[in-house]
Amino acid sequence: MAQPDVMQRLREIPFSARLPEKALTDLAAIAEIRSVPGGARLFREGEPHCCIYLLISGSIVLEMHVPGRGKVQILTIGPGDVLGWSPVVSDTVMTATATTLEDTELIEIQAGALLQLCESDREVGYFLMQQMAAALSRRLVATRLQLLDLFAETTPQQPSPL
Amino acid sequence: MDRQERFLETDRLQTLIDVLTDAGYQVVGPTIEQEAIIYDEITSVDDLPRGWTETQEPGQYRLQQRDDEAYFGYTVGPHSWKQFLFPPVATVATAERTDSGWEMRTPDEPPPQYAFLGVRACEIAAIEVQDRTFLHGPYVDPIYRDRRDRALIIAVNCTQAASTCFCTSMNTGPRCRSGFDLALTETADGFVVEAGSDAGGRILEQLPTREPEATDLTAAETARQQAVDQITRRMDTTDIRNLLLDNLQHPRWDEVATRCLSCTNCTMVCPTCFCSSVKEVSDLKGDEITRERQWDSCFNFDFSYMNGGVVRNDIRSRYRQWLTHKLASWHDQFDVSGCVGCGRCISWCPVGIDLTEEVAAIRADAHQPEEQP
Amino acid sequence: MNPASCGTPAANPWLAFPVQITGITDETPGVSTYELQLTDAEVARNYRFQPGQFNMLYLPGVGEAAISLSGQSESGDRLRHTVRLAGNVTHSLAGLGVGGRFGLRGPFGTPWPMEECRGRDVVAVAGGLGLAPLRPAIDAILNAPDEYGQLTILYGARTPEHLLFEQVYPDWRQNGAVVNVTVDRSLPGWQGHVGVVPLLVDRMQLPDPENTVFLICGPDVMMKYTVSSALNRGVPAERIWINMERNMNCAVGLCGHCQYGPEFICKDGPVLRYDRVQPMLRVEDL
């Protein structure tokens, strides 16, 4: 039986706020609220992991290891964000290491159970995957903007009149 | 207003130039140079293009001899009065190095006092369009203001039209209705003259005119009607602002970009284009600096230069900027069209791009914006 | 906006006033803040600017550059301009040093809508050097906390080394502002946020979006996505103001260089209400 609190939190988070009641109940049944202190490692790059997370409060840094440069911070995850989707969208290992930067509250969902839920009830699955796709799309745009390096000093293509 | 009309015989035209000169004006009028009728300082009727006219087509301007002795039997050439009110090169400021930094000034010597002789209705409209840019905005351009304030406008009503003329579409002509000090209509025997201002009236009083005969007035009316009848080019201006701004991605922009050379001719001959750039002109030691304003053009590659890049990078975006500014956003900026229908940009385009044709092509295949709910 | 009310002291818009550099602060790589004093006492007394306005800095023989005012000294008679080394003018300026003399025309352009901000929550979003034109607005709000709601400052820079005015964030926070900073690229030792500025808008506390005013300044693309995030959060288009940069030459709407659709950025902008320029932000190369 899901904690009533989980239902409430799921309703407050943009990812799940608009899910139909049925999907929300099913999701709450496989979700759990967790409080994590700052500095804790949620998962590690290159290792498999069990869960996907929705962040309620706090922040988490994603890092990737680059030989010669060490750990490079890629992105800071904040309230409302989805984190750790690798076990849901593929069966491979995690692509980054996630570490809490402060006391953080999150909803932890078992990836296997989530996939099972999507399989068994395709309608619920559709809603969930739609949200997942939207979250991925937002992340992709943000990554593109980062890639554009918008604040770089532009090198004039021609002598500047200024 | 019922203006009093007078008649000046053809052979007394010189007295007009003399009276203006005596009143302290520098008379600028039409004269022939480099196979075109241009505007320059004149002192005598002999400077005028008497007995000459021209034919104009897209990309073409040719002088031709008339079979009469008309002084003003032509339409408009490559020049406009813009070059006297908004000079192609003008000093806006100076800086001089001193012991304690820089002495910065703006010029204060009075500009010439011009009398423009032979201003057409579309040209009066163009001057009034530029008045809005340089005089009626939050900032006044002192160079334009000082010249404009002193200028006397002696209009001449068109008695014929070129194939490139479309002032009737833009509601600017061919008849001069206002905005002049004196207006002349040329007939076989002379000029019907009317004053449009007190200053014009004072000049008129000094001319050896007589009461016009009924036949003089009829001849003038017939001559003016001839111009109206000869205008064949049309531009449909119905909702033109939205037509163009709703069609910024129309394929016609790509098409015209393949012909346009981005040569800036249209903007140079246009009597309302006002773009400029200020350049630093320095003596060898760098102690005496003149800030020179020069005509510029939205067709110049570096015109929209910013932060290491050019905003309007291809000819398509530059032609689109020019035409949409002229015919659409000018309305937002100055509450008037930037086009007066003089047709100069059509004749002086080396590849004969005709804006009336471009607008018609966009209109023929226009994208309709979705209805707002 | 009537420019006369913005304190432009010149009857002739082409007249430059002599200024002297009284201080230079190195901010980030290639960016310095110049403190300038108008040397004519009469001109200095009459000079007034509003947050968001810019001056044309004139180096005789070299040219002019449009630079936003980033503040003024406590005494009010020294004008701060935060400048990135970019072209001839800014390089020549960098060669002058304290005591250097040149010219200034201004102030020009539309200010941030401080009246509209009164009594409302304000979110100032800046990217890169875009924090400089926002700083006078931030100062004005923090100097009169009773007149405004909550001020939130969201700022993104390229790397932690490129964070502008970093030394004043603690003061801003102490004076009641929420300051959230992010960088596009992290550097070793950075403990702060990594990611682009619009993410900060997605995640911020926004209790009353309909009554929150957004003031945005940064590169075009950054502003576009920041606006998109603000709209998603329920902020009305008419409460969003952006500061556009174009090639300003005359600064008074007479030369045509900075036209953006129907707007002359120099006199109708640089601060423009988003719903007025919204249709044009979608067209490339306008």
Side-chain angles (χ1 to χ4, degrees), chain B residues 40-82:
Chain B
D40 204 350
E41 285 171 34
I42 59 166
T43 52
S44 152
V45 291
D46 297 335
D47 296 328
L48 297 173
R50 192 175 199 189
W52 286 92
T53 188
E54 90 287 344
T55 56
Q56 299 192 49
E57 294 293 338
Q60 204 186 94
Y61 176 101
R62 296 276 181 279
L63 280 186
Q64 266 188 349
Q65 206 116 34
R66 295 178 64 89
D67 52 15
D68 64 15
E69 291 288 284
Y71 278 110
F72 299 99
Y74 58 90
T75 56
V76 292
H79 282 188
S80 69
W81 308 99
K82 170 172 97 172

Side-chain angles (χ1 to χ4, degrees), chain A residues 14 18 55 59-63 69 71-81 101 138-139 141-154 156 159-162, chain C residues 29 62-66 84 86-90 126-128 156-158 162 183-187 190-199 202-203 219 221-222 225 247-248:
Chain A
R18 275 182 229 115
L55 210 62
S59 59
I60 294 167
V61 63
L62 288 182
E63 291 167 315
R69 284 168 64 189
K71 281 186 286 188
V72 178
Q73 300 175 358
I74 301 301
L75 185 68
T76 308
I77 302 295
D81 286 351
L101 288 169
R138 278 196 298 274
R139 183 76 62 85
V141 170
T143 307
R144 282 180 188 163
L145 289 178
Q146 243 171 320
L147 202 62
L148 284 175
D149 201 9
L150 291 169
F151 309 132
E153 290 93 78
T154 42
S160 161
L162 296 183
Chain C
V62 185
E64 285 187 327
R84 172 188 282 166
N88 297 337
V89 174
T90 48
R158 191 179 189 212
H162 291 85
V183 296
D184 276 3
R185 282 157 174 62
S186 175
L187 289 174
W190 172 247
Q191 295 298 310
H193 193 282
V194 183
V196 293
V197 196
L199 290 177
D202 296 340
R203 295 171 189 162
V221 180
M222 170 254 158
Y225 282 94
N247 176 15
M248 300 182 206

Side-chain angles (χ1 to χ4, degrees), chain A residues 157-158, chain B residues 300-314 318, chain C residues 285:
Chain A
Q157 300 153 3
Q158 65 208 74
Chain B
N300 280 328
F301 178 70
D302 60 359
F303 187 72
S304 61
Y305 181 95
M306 178 190 81
N307 252 9
V310 167
V311 177
R312 288 186 285 273
N313 238 317
D314 53 14
R318 295 203 284 279
Chain C
D285 306 330

Side-chain angles (χ1 to χ4, degrees), chain B residues 368-373:
Chain B
Q368 299 295 335
E370 291 115 48
E371 289 290 317
Q372 296 294 318

Side-chain angles (χ1 to χ4, degrees), chain B residues 14-292:
Chain B
Q14 181 64 42
T15 56
L16 173 59
I17 296 175
D18 295 342
V19 165
L20 292 170
T21 308
D22 289 349
Y25 288 103
Q26 197 173 92
V27 183
V28 180
T31 189
I32 291 178
E33 204 178 292
Q34 293 182 23
E35 295 178 53
I37 296 169
I38 56 129
Y39 300 147
D40 204 350
E41 285 171 34
I42 59 166
T43 52
S44 152
V45 291
D46 297 335
D47 296 328
L48 297 173
R50 192 175 199 189
W52 286 92
T53 188
E54 90 287 344
T55 56
Q56 299 192 49
E57 294 293 338
Q60 204 186 94
Y61 176 101
R62 296 276 181 279
L63 280 186
Q64 266 188 349
Q65 206 116 34
R66 295 178 64 89
D67 52 15
D68 64 15
E69 291 288 284
Y71 278 110
F72 299 99
Y74 58 90
T75 56
V76 292
H79 282 188
S80 69
W81 308 99
K82 170 172 97 172
Q83 71 201 67
F84 300 99
L85 298 174
F86 166 49
V89 179
T91 298
V92 293
T94 57
E96 190 184 337
R97 200 191 293 274
T98 65
D99 292 340
S100 58
W102 293 91
E103 177 81 43
M104 287 167 285
R105 298 175 181 279
T106 49
D108 49 10
E109 65 274 20
Q113 185 176 22
Y114 290 120
F116 299 147
L117 174 59
V119 185
R120 305 307 175 118
C122 63
E123 297 183 312
I124 293 174
I127 291 169
E128 288 174 345
V129 167
Q130 286 216 317
D131 286 350
R132 290 174 188 244
T133 305
F134 290 121
L135 303 179
H136 300 163
Y139 295 96
V140 170
D141 182 62
I143 294 171
Y144 184 91
R145 178 196 59 209
D146 292 349
R147 288 157 180 261
R148 176 72 168 110
D149 282 352
R150 303 158 146 256
L152 194 78
I153 292 181
I154 299 166
V156 166
N157 282 306
C158 286
T159 53
Q160 65 180 66
S163 86
T164 44
C165 293
F166 59 105
C167 62
T168 44
S169 296
M170 306 313 292
N171 282 322
T172 59
R175 176 93 196 251
C176 302
R177 304 271 172 200
S178 63
F180 54 82
D181 295 288
L182 280 180
L184 278 51
T185 305
E186 187 171 20
T187 69
D189 304 322
F191 305 90
V192 173
V193 188
E194 59 176 321
S197 71
D198 294 344
R202 285 192 293 276
I203 299 290
L204 183 55
E205 280 166 15
Q206 299 175 60
L207 298 179
T209 58
R210 62 166 169 79
E211 195 71 26
E213 308 282 340
T215 50
D216 297 326
L217 297 176
T218 313
E221 188 51 46
T222 308
R224 286 191 297 257
Q225 186 57 41
Q226 179 170 287
V228 176
D229 296 341
Q230 286 180 3
I231 295 171
T232 52
R233 192 169 298 271
R234 298 277 178 266
M235 185 156 77
D236 180 359
T237 59
T238 314
D239 200 24
I240 192 164
R241 177 195 175 275
N242 294 335
L243 172 76
L244 295 179
L245 295 185
D246 289 339
N247 284 279
L248 294 173
Q249 306 292 10
H250 196 284
R252 187 72 184 189
W253 301 117
D254 298 297
E255 198 279 331
V256 70
T258 64
R259 289 178 287 138
C260 174
L261 307 175
S262 205
C263 72
T264 79
N265 265 17
C266 50
T267 55
M268 296 295 110
V269 296
C270 177
T272 68
C273 274
F274 59 87
C275 286
S276 64
S277 288
V278 173
K279 315 262 186 236
E280 300 291 304
V281 180
S282 164
D283 68 351
L284 283 177
K285 286 168 71 187
D287 292 344
E288 305 266 349
I289 313 291
T290 306
R291 307 207 69 209
E292 248 175 31

Side-chain angles (χ1 to χ4, degrees), chain B residues 86 92-95 100-102 104-107 133-135 137-143 145 241 245 248-249 274-278 280 282 286 289-291 293 296 302-307 310-314 316-318 320-321 324-325 329 332-334, chain C residues 1-4 8 11-19 53 58-64 84 86 101-105 107-109 220 245-264 267-268 279-280 282-286:
Chain B
F86 166 49
V92 293
T94 57
S100 58
W102 293 91
M104 287 167 285
R105 298 175 181 279
T106 49
T133 305
F134 290 121
L135 303 179
Y139 295 96
V140 170
D141 182 62
I143 294 171
R145 178 196 59 209
R241 177 195 175 275
L245 295 185
L248 294 173
Q249 306 292 10
F274 59 87
C275 286
S276 64
S277 288
V278 173
E280 300 291 304
S282 164
I289 313 291
T290 306
R291 307 207 69 209
R293 178 170 74 183
D296 203 338
D302 60 359
F303 187 72
S304 61
Y305 181 95
M306 178 190 81
N307 252 9
V310 167
V311 177
R312 288 186 285 273
N313 238 317
D314 53 14
R316 172 182 176 272
S317 60
R318 295 203 284 279
R320 183 178 67 188
Q321 164 64 21
T324 55
H325 183 217
S329 46
D332 299 83
Q333 294 171 346
F334 304 112
Chain C
M1 175 58 54
N2 175 7
T8 307
N12 185 328
W14 295 111
L15 185 61
F17 299 111
V19 289
Q53 289 195 294
Y58 170 49
L59 278 87
V62 185
E64 285 187 327
R84 172 188 282 166
R101 290 167 186 267
F102 55 100
L104 173 152
R105 295 193 292 132
F108 296 120
D220 279 11
E245 190 187 6
R246 281 293 178 273
N247 176 15
M248 300 182 206
N249 195 284
C250 75
V252 288
L254 299 177
C255 79
H257 277 265
C258 65
Q259 285 183 85
Y260 187 66
E263 320 284 353
F264 293 94
K267 80 176 165 70
D268 303 322
M280 283 163 323
R282 292 196 218 112
V283 182
E284 283 169 35
D285 306 330
L286 202 61

